[in-house]
Amino acid sequence: MSPGARLAELVPGLGHVSLGRAPTPVRPLDLGFAPEVWLKDESVFGDGAWGGNKVRKLEWIIPEAQRRGVRTLFTVGGIGTHWGLACALYGREHGLRTVLGLVDQPEDDHVRDQLARLSASGAELHRYPSTRRLKLAAPWLLLRHRPWYLPAGGSNAFGTLAYVDVAPEIAAQVASGDLPEPATVVVPVGSGGTVTGLTLGLRIAGLRTRVLGAVVNDMLRLDAASMARLSRRTADLLRDRGLSDVPDLGAADFDLRPDWLGETYGDPTPASLAEVAAAREAGLTLEPVYTGKSLAAIRELGNALEGPVLWLNTHGPR
């Protein structure tokens, strides 16, 4: 895949709808890190009422839902889910109803604000005290609504295409001199689609860049073997729709680390709160569960992290 060649052009058998403007900007990020760090600001992606990496996934999920003839999307997440909000808002714009199964998580002002946004989104909300209770209720919800079920974070093969598609965007920014070729890309891992798509896409795009995923969710299995399986499903989809020379990745191709998770999903850590505060001084609006923790990973690893480092700001409030 040549720099800048996008999946929608290369694989016309894949449906795609434009929900934001690309490429998203890149610039140096000067927050006192030991390695050289660059920012790719995914927060600006999305033309609707929410932005960030979840909107990229919906560019591939919405047309597939329409192709299947479904009218309802059913997906899951915590009560502060960004994915669930993006799904509800953009799905509604494209004639799709959203049903959300929500699991309690530690509450702070950010989560309470997000829950209020979810309540106002038009989605049908079902709230449960634990993942186990949600799993018990899921068969009833599926029978009642007959939806297309989307896993947490939209991280199925179609959602993962989003960051396969971002890899040639990064390659084009390197080729044009906007960005040095990163030795490492750092992203938070809440469901796996972003880290898996990038890892596969960078290989297809011919970059030597490695991807480090800071795991922020202990409610899902997010290890190298799981990401390798998601990568294989995504690669199979690409081949089925007409793209040749798609590599097969294994567990050894993924670097996933839970060191900055804290006690549980949704629980801010002192390090993540400190990164949110530092970023605020630099004009970036972050949150302490995903973006704050992935920045904390860069800070703690320091020169042990091979640079230049490219960090993706995946948070997209409006």
Side-chain angles (χ1 to χ4, degrees), residues 60-80:
W60 304 90
I61 286 171
I62 286 173
E64 177 61 18
Q66 293 170 334
R67 188 191 71 82
R68 295 180 181 210
V70 299
R71 296 186 176 183
T72 302
L73 305 175
F74 169 47
T75 192
V76 297
I79 57 172

Side-chain angles (χ1 to χ4, degrees), residues 277-293:
R280 187 182 303 119
E281 294 297 317
L284 287 176
T285 301
L286 307 183
E287 42 66 51
V289 174
Y290 290 79
T291 46
K293 290 180 181 179

Side-chain angles (χ1 to χ4, degrees), residues 150-293:
L150 303 172
S155 291
N156 60 10
F158 291 94
T160 301
L161 291 175
Y163 279 84
V164 176
D165 196 41
V166 169
E169 182 178 314
I170 293 171
Q173 290 174 312
V174 171
S176 65
D178 295 329
L179 172 74
E181 181 174 347
T184 311
V185 174
V186 176
V187 293
V189 181
S191 59
T194 299
V195 70
T196 299
L198 275 175
T199 303
L200 179 60
L202 289 166
R203 183 71 63 84
I204 294 172
L207 294 183
R208 296 166 294 177
T209 308
R210 296 281 295 180
V211 183
L212 186 151
V215 176
V216 301
N217 190 353
D218 59 351
M219 299 169 70
L220 302 173
R221 183 177 174 182
L222 296 170
D223 57 16
S226 300
M227 298 305 97
R229 285 194 293 272
L230 178 57
S231 174
R232 284 193 292 272
R233 291 195 296 271
T234 307
D236 287 343
L237 171 61
L238 287 167
R239 294 187 193 105
D240 289 345
R241 299 294 174 93
L243 186 64
S244 59
D245 299 323
V246 182
D248 285 315
L249 304 186
D253 294 298
F254 292 90
D255 186 359
L256 298 148
R257 307 187 196 183
D259 308 58
W260 304 277
L261 169 69
E263 292 189 9
T264 188
Y265 172 70
D267 183 28
T269 65
S272 71
L273 290 169
E275 296 302 337
V276 170
R280 187 182 303 119
E281 294 297 317
L284 287 176
T285 301
L286 307 183
E287 42 66 51
V289 174
Y290 290 79
T291 46
K293 290 180 181 179

Side-chain angles (χ1 to χ4, degrees), residues 25-67:
V26 292
R27 63 176 173 86
L29 184 62
D30 186 10
L31 291 176
F33 295 112
E36 176 188 351
V37 178
W38 286 68
L39 162 70
K40 185 167 176 62
D41 196 358
E42 293 290 274
S43 72
V44 303
F45 190 88
D47 293 332
W50 195 254
N53 66 326
K54 304 301 190 293
V55 182
R56 294 255 199 189
K57 296 178 178 183
L58 288 163
E59 290 194 319
W60 304 90
I61 286 171
I62 286 173
E64 177 61 18
Q66 293 170 334
R67 188 191 71 82

